[in-house]
Amino acid sequence: MRIGELAAATGVSVRSLRYYEEQRLLAPARTPAGQRVFVAQDVVVVARIQELFAAGFCSSVVRELLPALGAPEQDPARLRAAFGVAVARLEGERAAVDAELAALRSLAARLGVAPDTRVRAHGGPHDAPAAAPPAPTDHRDRRLR
């Protein structure tokens, strides 16, 4: 199966499949002309890669986990360890986000910033206020490493 066929079968872009190969998540054979040739099992591998990315794992961790997920036998100890680390990291991030939210709310209360009640003072209209511009995003990478 060629790269376009694998892309169609998995719903993953050709560009992403090339990235997966670059990251050594996929290892297609090559024709004498250099074209990639994938096998049917690569459809399953791409689905697993997508699941692991969706769970927050970065490509280097995905590369380590794929052999543990491979047929015919999974490596449950390795998977438990990796997922345990992932859960611990996400829980730590959640605690950090909760602390940031508490600090933000505390600062807002101290500064007298009232929550948006959708009512304007001094007899203004009761319509919803104009949407505030989005806050600048934080560049922190939340992918699991």
Side-chain angles (χ1 to χ4, degrees), residues 33-79:
Q35 293 181 326
R36 295 167 183 86
V37 178
F38 295 92
V39 296
Q41 180 61 27
D42 288 329
V43 173
V44 174
V45 173
V46 169
R48 286 194 174 150
I49 291 168
Q50 290 289 294
E51 288 175 326
L52 292 168
F53 279 156
F57 291 104
C58 68
S59 58
S60 63
V61 174
V62 171
R63 184 173 46 252
E64 293 174 18
L65 290 178
L66 282 175
L69 291 168
E73 301 164 3
Q74 291 186 356
D75 183 347
R78 189 177 195 184
L79 292 173

Side-chain angles (χ1 to χ4, degrees), residues 7-132:
T10 60
V12 174
S13 70
V14 168
R15 183 175 178 185
S16 291
L17 294 173
R18 288 185 183 127
Y19 173 77
Y20 297 170
E21 180 184 13
E22 178 185 302
Q23 296 298 309
R24 296 175 307 184
L25 306 177
L26 290 174
R30 295 278 183 154
T31 66
Q35 293 181 326
R36 295 167 183 86
V37 178
F38 295 92
V39 296
Q41 180 61 27
D42 288 329
V43 173
V44 174
V45 173
V46 169
R48 286 194 174 150
I49 291 168
Q50 290 289 294
E51 288 175 326
L52 292 168
F53 279 156
F57 291 104
C58 68
S59 58
S60 63
V61 174
V62 171
R63 184 173 46 252
E64 293 174 18
L65 290 178
L66 282 175
L69 291 168
E73 301 164 3
Q74 291 186 356
D75 183 347
R78 189 177 195 184
L79 292 173
R80 256 192 308 281
F83 279 74
V85 167
V87 167
R89 173 151 185 204
L90 288 173
E91 287 174 347
E93 286 184 15
R94 179 177 23 196
V97 169
D98 287 344
E100 289 177 29
L101 284 170
L104 181 62
R105 289 180 181 121
S106 174
L107 178 60
R110 229 182 25 173
L111 296 174
V113 178
D116 182 11
T117 59
R118 298 187 184 268
V119 177
R120 298 214 175 128
H122 308 293
H126 292 276
D127 296 332

